[in-house]
Amino acid sequence: MGHKSSKRRGNIWNDAIHLNELIVDFPFATTGGKEKDFERGIATSLMVSKKSFKNPVITQIDKSTSVESVYCFGKHHRPDMAIGKDGISIELKFITYSGLKDAIGQAYLYRIQYKFVFLVLVINESRKDMYLDIAQGKEMPLNEVLESLASQHNIFTYIVPSFLIKKPGINKCISFFK
């Protein structure tokens, strides 16, 4: 099972750089309390700024288009949003207790069809300690896995809290976009 060929240059890569900026600046702590709320928030931001992307923005908000699915293990898997038909897939997961491993596996599957995968992991306040551990470098094996996915597989992960960060020196977005 091979990945879609991808190079870090050209229009799709420029769209990836722009998407990175949009995700890093997005106010996740004010969006909602369910996964669908966060998906709608990001999708709305994408639709508002769609003219600044070179490739078409495809979301579930716009009913005239649909996101391309990936067929694997006898099932179709569809990311939440995309930029271009096979350019960038965007998957958002709201992490309440578990789901981190599944989200990483799902992102890996999307690389079959898409050149770049953006995985946004929104951490629920009930998992605040996990977020702080990651932000403070106490989860080095996880950081190494996510850095490897970014550098070797073009799977870029963002870990963001759904709550306000009150501790000085802690970022509101942990990005593995290089």
Side-chain angles (χ1 to χ4, degrees):
M1 175 171 28
H3 286 151
K4 187 88 170 167
S5 176
S6 60
K7 297 196 177 2
R8 294 182 182 191
R9 63 179 183 269
N11 284 339
I12 294 173
W13 181 246
N14 290 338
D15 284 348
I17 292 169
H18 183 59
L19 177 59
N20 171 67
E21 293 165 358
L22 188 141
I23 292 170
V24 168
D25 291 340
F26 190 80
F28 287 97
T30 61
T31 302
K34 296 184 225 148
E35 187 168 312
K36 280 288 180 199
D37 297 332
F38 295 104
E39 286 176 19
R40 278 190 210 103
I42 288 287
T44 301
S45 291
L46 284 171
M47 295 302 292
V48 166
S49 63
K50 68 182 178 182
K51 289 182 180 175
S52 60
F53 290 98
K54 300 289 185 199
N55 293 282
V57 171
I58 307 165
T59 70
Q60 295 175 13
I61 291 174
D62 181 2
K63 300 296 183 192
S64 66
T65 61
S66 65
V67 178
E68 291 288 320
S69 65
V70 176
Y71 185 79
C72 190
F73 304 120
K75 187 176 175 189
H76 288 277
H77 305 270
R78 186 179 319 279
D80 297 320
M81 296 155 263
I83 299 174
K85 183 179 178 179
D86 64 353
I88 302 169
S89 74
I90 305 158
E91 181 66 26
L92 187 140
K93 291 292 183 198
F94 187 50
I95 307 298
T96 54
Y97 177 70
S98 62
L100 191 60
K101 295 180 292 188
D102 293 336
I104 292 169
Q106 198 171 352
Y108 197 80
L109 287 180
Y110 294 149
R111 270 295 281 124
I112 296 168
Q113 174 76 26
Y114 291 88
K115 293 176 175 80
F116 303 102
V117 175
F118 281 65
L119 177 61
V120 182
L121 304 173
V122 182
I123 308 299
N124 185 294
E125 190 163 13
S126 66
R127 304 288 295 174
K128 186 177 189 173
D129 290 341
M130 179 183 78
Y131 182 83
L132 294 173
D133 284 349
I134 294 168
Q136 294 171 335
K138 296 178 183 176
E139 287 280 350
M140 285 313 295
L142 175 62
N143 287 356
E144 289 170 1
V145 166
L146 298 178
E147 286 173 8
S148 175
L149 286 172
S151 65
Q152 296 178 23
H153 300 285
N154 289 329
I155 299 171
F156 306 109
T157 306
Y158 298 81
I159 303 173
V160 296
S162 66
F163 49 90
L164 291 174
I165 298 292
K166 296 176 184 169
K167 195 168 185 179
I170 302 294
N171 291 334
K172 70 171 187 130
C173 178
I174 303 166
S175 169
F176 292 88
F177 182 82
K178 304 291 181 205

